[in-house]
Amino acid sequence: MILLLLVQMALAQEDMSIPEPPILDPPTDSEADQRSERLGKMLRCPVCQGLSVADSRSDAAIAMQNRIHDFVVAGYSDEQIVDYFVSRYGEWALLKPKSSHWFVWTAPGAGLLFGLGVVGWQIRQRKSNKAPSSQLSKSPTAKTDDRYRQRILDELDGEQ
């Protein structure tokens, strides 16, 4: 509730104008409504946070949607309007941020793949280290096995 009041107060106290002059001619009413709706879907509601300004019914979202509509009617371009809200609220205000936050989204997957690779490498190392030692102990040519092998062969020859 307090957050809602703070957002409403901030919206009411802010300068209603964009620093640059409008670069477009004022649109017709239907064009203004369509552009306002489209721009409202690009911006995040400060209260709901998961919804766009156009989809939210909070007082702050309605105030932002009205401000967007006023800017569109005045002839400001989409870029000017989006830049206005980004300059005041940061990129958080955009539902789809402009800057590349690809690292934030790919780092967990890359870390998981790296970890699986390390585990696989460790398993292979352990298997390759065990294989030669087990082969040496069972090898018939090992010196310790030669005399036992020879004794068994001698006993087998003697039984025939």
Side-chain angles (χ1 to χ4, degrees), residues 59-130:
D59 292 338
I62 292 170
M64 285 178 72
Q65 187 67 39
N66 290 338
R67 180 157 305 165
I68 291 168
H69 186 74
D70 292 342
F71 287 147
V72 169
V73 169
Y76 287 102
S77 70
D78 293 354
E79 293 81 24
Q80 286 177 307
I81 296 170
V82 169
D83 289 344
Y84 170 81
F85 285 101
V86 169
S87 70
R88 276 154 182 73
Y89 306 111
E91 276 197 47
W92 175 86
L94 298 175
L95 280 176
K96 295 180 183 175
K98 289 180 183 178
S99 68
S100 60
H101 293 155
W102 61 268
F103 181 75
V104 173
W105 295 103
T106 59
L112 179 66
L113 290 176
F114 178 75
L116 289 173
V118 168
V119 168
W121 178 74
Q122 289 288 330
I123 291 171
R124 286 182 127 189
Q125 288 295 319
R126 286 183 184 176
K127 283 183 179 179
S128 67
N129 287 342
K130 285 183 180 180

Side-chain angles (χ1 to χ4, degrees), residues 1-2 14 20 37 66 103 105 110 112 143:
M1 185 69 177
I2 295 173
E14 283 184 13
E20 305 94 35
E37 183 73 20
N66 290 338
F103 181 75
W105 295 103
L112 179 66
K143 291 182 180 181

Side-chain angles (χ1 to χ4, degrees), residues 4-19:
L4 175 64
L5 292 173
L6 290 173
V7 169
Q8 287 177 344
M9 288 174 36
L11 287 172
Q13 291 177 354
E14 283 184 13
D15 183 19
M16 277 288 292
S17 64
I18 296 177

Side-chain angles (χ1 to χ4, degrees), residues 32-50:
D33 291 339
Q34 289 173 354
R35 279 186 55 210
S36 298
E37 183 73 20
R38 188 179 73 243
L39 288 168
K41 289 198 180 283
M42 294 172 59
L43 298 171
R44 182 186 318 270
C45 172
V47 177
C48 304
Q49 296 182 9

